[in-house]
Amino acid sequence: MGSKMPRDGGRQGHDSFLDGQLLVAMPGMSDNRFARSVIYLCAHSEEGAMGIVVNRPARKVTFSELLVQLDVIKADEAIQLPAQAGLVPVLKGGPVETGRGFVLHSNDFFIDNSTLPIDSGVSLTATIDILRAIARGAGPDRAVLALGYAGWSAGQLEAEMQDNGWLNIPADPSLIFDDALGSKYERALMKVGIDPGRLSADLGHA
C-alpha cells in the first residue's frame, strides 16, 4: 500500500471524461493483457487515465494472507478476523505497480487526505489504514483489494477507444464489488444490451 493517490479526473465541467465508468475490452483490443477485462476508471483527464481491473483474481493469495504479509495482523490472528473481511476479493488490478494495493470501496468509509470519492457509490483508498479498519470490523460495507492498476498516458485511452479497443458503459457497484469474477465480462455487456456471443470487433463504443 502507499499514500500517494491518483489525481482527480476533473469530472466537474468535463462531461467527456470517463472517470466513474466501466471500460469493457472489445474483440479489437490489441493488448492481450487486457483481453476480456472489465476496468473501473478511477481518474480520467487530459493528462491520462487510471483504472482498476475488477474481473481478474490475484493468484494464490487471500485477503487475510495479505494482511499477515503487510503486518496488519499476526498470523495467529487471521482466524479472528470479522466475517466481512473474509469476503473481500483480492484482484489483479493491472500491470502497473503490482506490488501496491488499492481498495475500491463503498462510500460509507472515508479517510481525510487518503480517500478519493469517484462516482456511483464508489471511492478509492490506497493507504494501509483502510486495511487496518477492515481487519477490526470498522471498514466499508463493500470493498475489493486490487494489486496494481491500469494506466494510460495523455491521449492513449482515447486512441484505444477510437480503435475499438474499449467500450465504455455506466458503472454498476454490483459489478465492481461482487466476487462472481468469471461472469462480470458477460454481465457488463448484457447491461447495455449486447450479446457477448455475437460481439463483433467492428462494434463501436457507447
Side-chain angles (χ1 to χ4, degrees), residues 2-25:
S3 59
K4 184 179 180 181
M5 296 294 297
R7 296 182 63 177
D8 192 320
R11 173 175 292 275
Q12 295 86 350
H14 295 276
D15 293 337
S16 62
F17 293 139
L18 304 176
D19 41 312
Q21 294 198 36
L22 290 174
L23 297 177
V24 183

Side-chain angles (χ1 to χ4, degrees), residues 127-139:
T127 62
I128 203 165
D129 293 329
I130 189 172
L131 301 185
R132 296 190 178 107
I134 294 172
R136 65 174 185 270

Side-chain angles (χ1 to χ4, degrees), residues 4 23 26-27 67 78-79 88 90 95 99 125 127 167 173 184 186 191 200 202-203:
K4 184 179 180 181
L23 297 177
M26 300 295 285
L67 293 182
I79 60 172
V88 176
V90 182
T125 303
T127 62
L167 173 77
K184 284 188 181 184
E186 289 77 11
K191 279 187 174 295
S200 167
D202 296 326
L203 184 64

Side-chain angles (χ1 to χ4, degrees), residues 70-145:
L70 295 170
D71 293 324
V72 174
I73 61 172
K74 298 185 183 302
D76 58 2
E77 296 173 338
I79 60 172
Q80 302 171 0
L81 284 172
Q84 192 73 9
L87 301 176
V88 176
V90 182
L91 308 176
K92 185 178 180 180
V96 184
E97 293 192 59
T98 56
R100 183 178 170 197
F102 300 83
V103 180
L104 287 175
H105 57 89
S106 49
N107 284 344
D108 54 345
F109 181 89
F110 186 86
I111 300 175
D112 285 339
N113 300 316
S114 296
T115 298
L116 174 67
I118 304 171
D119 202 4
S120 303
V122 182
S123 293
L124 174 69
T125 303
T127 62
I128 203 165
D129 293 329
I130 189 172
L131 301 185
R132 296 190 178 107
I134 294 172
R136 65 174 185 270
D141 181 57
R142 306 181 77 182
V144 296
L145 171 62

